[in-house]
Amino acid sequence: FTEIYSCDEALFDVVEDKNNHSLLVAREDGMLVQLDNRKNYKPVNEWQLHEKKINTVSVCPDQEHYLSTASLDRMMCIWDLRKMKKPIHALPHALSINQSSWSPDGKHLATVCMDNHIRVYDAPHLCANPAIAKRSGDILPAKPLCRVHHDNRTGRWLTKFKLDWDKKQPNALVIGSMDQPRCIEVFSASCDRLMRLRTDAVASVQSLNKFHPSLDVIISANSSGRVHVWNN
């Protein structure tokens, strides 16, 4: 391995921004760092985006100048890399946000929140219509298209839930579950539960789940390092 970046703060997420030839690094102090891969991953920008740690950063797949950040400060923000002074939208949640994630076609933006909800937003509408302050100076946050109750409180000993969108069907997402018997769940972009997958071979919480990019397969993993493969 080759170390390309280090700092005194803990790092929580790293994503590639192909359009800008860079990596985006989310830090514990609420800072987002842009590393230029054409300059040996030299830091070229550092933005203080949140008051507390950034749990995830996600780049819009079809318009890579847009990105979202999910933070411990209970805010999910949408940003334009071309003008990072303030977010396009700052969307408050009731508790810490574990993740924000764009769908593969860029049409939806989903969040996983510790208030036990998954929310799905109309991403193109938010990007095309920046938040505008009212006469009082207050900004009325945009509302999600839908939300669904989902137990996201994995506790301190288990990996936090992260959802994954299906590249083959960009309106479907998979996420782990706290339900007994243990299972994984697939939801639509309209927050309808499409599937609940169970088997006697799975007896633990599957915190991380990924769709295979071309096969009808889901890979799930628990906090002990065990991996399961689900297929038809």
Side-chain angles (χ1 to χ4, degrees):
F1 295 96
T2 301
E3 182 179 289
I4 61 173
Y5 177 75
S6 65
C7 65
D8 294 334
E9 303 291 335
L11 310 179
F12 282 85
D13 200 14
V14 180
V15 298
E16 184 179 13
D17 178 10
K18 296 180 181 179
N19 187 57
N20 293 294
H21 307 283
S22 63
L23 294 179
L24 298 171
V25 183
R27 298 193 342 191
E28 185 179 28
D29 58 355
M31 187 85 71
L32 184 70
V33 181
Q34 185 179 39
L35 310 178
D36 192 330
N37 61 17
R38 297 164 298 184
K39 300 179 180 179
N40 294 319
Y41 295 100
K42 177 183 178 181
V44 290
N45 285 298
E46 293 185 349
W47 301 290
Q48 186 69 52
L49 303 185
H50 289 271
E51 297 178 358
K52 298 181 180 179
K53 75 175 179 179
I54 299 174
N55 286 317
T56 64
V57 56
S58 180
V59 176
C60 180
D62 62 339
Q63 299 185 77
E64 293 192 352
H65 51 278
Y66 291 124
L67 60 92
S68 67
T69 51
S71 175
L72 180 64
D73 67 9
R74 306 182 179 187
M75 299 293 289
M76 188 271 281
C77 294
I78 300 174
W79 307 85
D80 187 336
L81 273 170
R82 300 167 297 183
K83 41 187 178 181
M84 292 289 286
K85 289 185 178 181
K86 64 178 183 178
I88 300 173
H89 286 275
L91 304 175
H93 288 54
L95 291 173
S96 172
I97 310 168
N98 293 347
Q99 180 194 21
S100 64
S101 178
W102 302 79
S103 61
D105 57 7
K107 292 182 178 179
H108 298 98
L109 182 58
T111 61
V112 180
C113 183
M114 291 299 286
D115 68 353
N116 290 336
H117 283 91
I118 298 170
R119 293 171 174 84
V120 178
Y121 294 85
D122 183 341
H125 177 77
L126 292 178
C127 293
N129 297 276
I132 299 175
K134 300 186 297 183
R135 290 184 178 180
S136 63
D138 297 331
I139 294 177
L140 186 64
K143 294 183 179 181
L145 286 173
C146 62
R147 70 174 188 171
V148 60
H149 183 271
H150 185 270
D151 187 354
N152 297 320
R153 299 194 179 188
T154 53
R156 63 181 300 184
W157 305 114
L158 298 180
T159 303
K160 294 178 181 179
F161 285 145
K162 298 285 181 66
L163 64 82
D164 184 57
W165 292 94
D166 190 352
K167 292 183 179 179
K168 307 179 296 300
Q169 303 179 72
N171 63 339
L173 61 90
V174 63
I175 192 170
S177 176
M178 293 297 291
D179 288 354
Q180 292 275 15
R182 297 307 186 195
C183 63
I184 62 175
E185 297 178 302
V186 178
F187 291 90
S188 71
S190 56
C191 297
D192 297 316
R193 187 169 60 206
L194 303 177
M195 290 189 292
R196 176 177 280 170
L197 305 178
R198 288 192 173 108
T199 174
D200 293 339
V202 175
S204 58
V205 175
Q206 305 298 295
S207 294
L208 301 179
N209 300 270
K210 295 285 288 185
F211 282 106
H212 191 280
S214 59
L215 303 177
D216 288 331
V217 170
I218 298 173
I219 310 297
S220 64
N222 65 13
S223 297
S224 300
R226 184 179 292 274
V227 174
H228 294 88
V229 179
W230 308 72
N231 60 25
N232 292 329

